[in-house]
Amino acid sequence: MIDKSGLRRELRARRRRFAATAPPLPAPSQLVVEALTPGVIVASYVPVGGEADPALFDAAVIAAGGRLAWPVVIDRELPITFHIGSADLMADGPYGLRQPVAEGGGVVPDIILTPLVGFDSRCNRLGQGAGHYDRAFALWPDALRIGIAWSVQQVDALPRDPWDVPLHMIVTETETFLPGGPK
């Protein structure tokens, strides 16, 4: 059995080293662009700790007439919420996150871009370990789930717990993965 906490440490270090000299992620593939329609709400994130930057995805959302929502994390136990806002107007949140000041209720995302610690070719993901995104995926099962990562975060196989929700797609600087392998 793979030790998830040890794997997280190893993959975070690999991600930080790679991000220091990484090429930018490519513009979203046609698979993603087709999902970007006017009014679509896309949950994005502000990268921390060497996470792959979804900036080109964010720009494509705006160009398509969509709206960006940002995660708001209060603590480890409360669910993540997503709020419409501007990446320029962020405040410091827990765990070194940058997030909008949450006022009022959140929005229901149509697409959720999620940072990853690790992934495998079957679109299983390893997150930070608090379960925020898995709970969000369960709350909004119809949302398209897209992982954003660096190729060095890929492993042969990840252990899965019953609450782990696989992604519909993972995008790296070199390829796009769909369940079953890269495309």
Side-chain angles (χ1 to χ4, degrees):
M1 180 71 154
I2 297 173
D3 170 38
K4 282 187 174 182
S5 62
L7 186 57
R8 279 188 183 94
R9 269 191 310 280
E10 175 189 332
L11 290 173
R12 283 182 187 126
R14 194 186 297 179
R15 181 179 70 186
R16 278 191 304 275
R17 283 190 305 271
F18 184 79
T21 59
L25 287 176
S29 71
Q30 189 61 32
L31 288 170
V32 175
V33 170
E34 289 172 6
L36 301 179
T37 57
V40 68
I41 297 175
V42 178
S44 190
Y45 63 92
V46 177
V48 297
E51 292 171 343
D53 190 345
L56 290 177
F57 286 76
D58 298 348
V61 171
I62 299 302
R67 298 185 301 161
L68 290 169
W70 306 95
V72 172
V73 174
I74 304 299
D75 59 30
R76 191 172 175 91
E77 286 76 36
L78 288 174
I80 192 173
T81 56
F82 297 101
H83 296 261
I84 299 293
S86 169
D88 299 329
L89 303 173
M90 297 285 177
D92 291 333
Y95 316 110
L97 300 174
R98 298 286 295 159
Q99 58 189 37
V101 177
E103 295 179 9
V107 296
V108 174
D110 299 300
I111 299 171
I112 301 174
L113 303 179
T114 181
L116 306 174
V117 174
F119 70 94
D120 66 25
S121 66
R122 290 175 302 287
C123 290
N124 293 311
R125 62 178 280 280
L126 182 66
Q128 296 292 351
H132 285 112
Y133 278 94
D134 285 315
R135 287 180 284 176
F137 299 155
L139 187 58
W140 299 297
D142 295 332
L144 178 62
R145 303 179 300 272
I146 302 175
I148 309 293
W150 301 117
S151 57
V152 298
Q153 295 172 252
Q154 184 179 7
V155 297
D156 290 337
L158 284 173
R160 289 197 56 212
D161 290 309
W163 56 83
D164 290 334
V165 179
L167 300 171
H168 294 114
M169 176 186 310
I170 296 171
V171 176
T172 73
E173 79 285 3
T174 59
E175 54 196 318
T176 298
F177 292 83
L178 300 172
K183 300 292 177 204

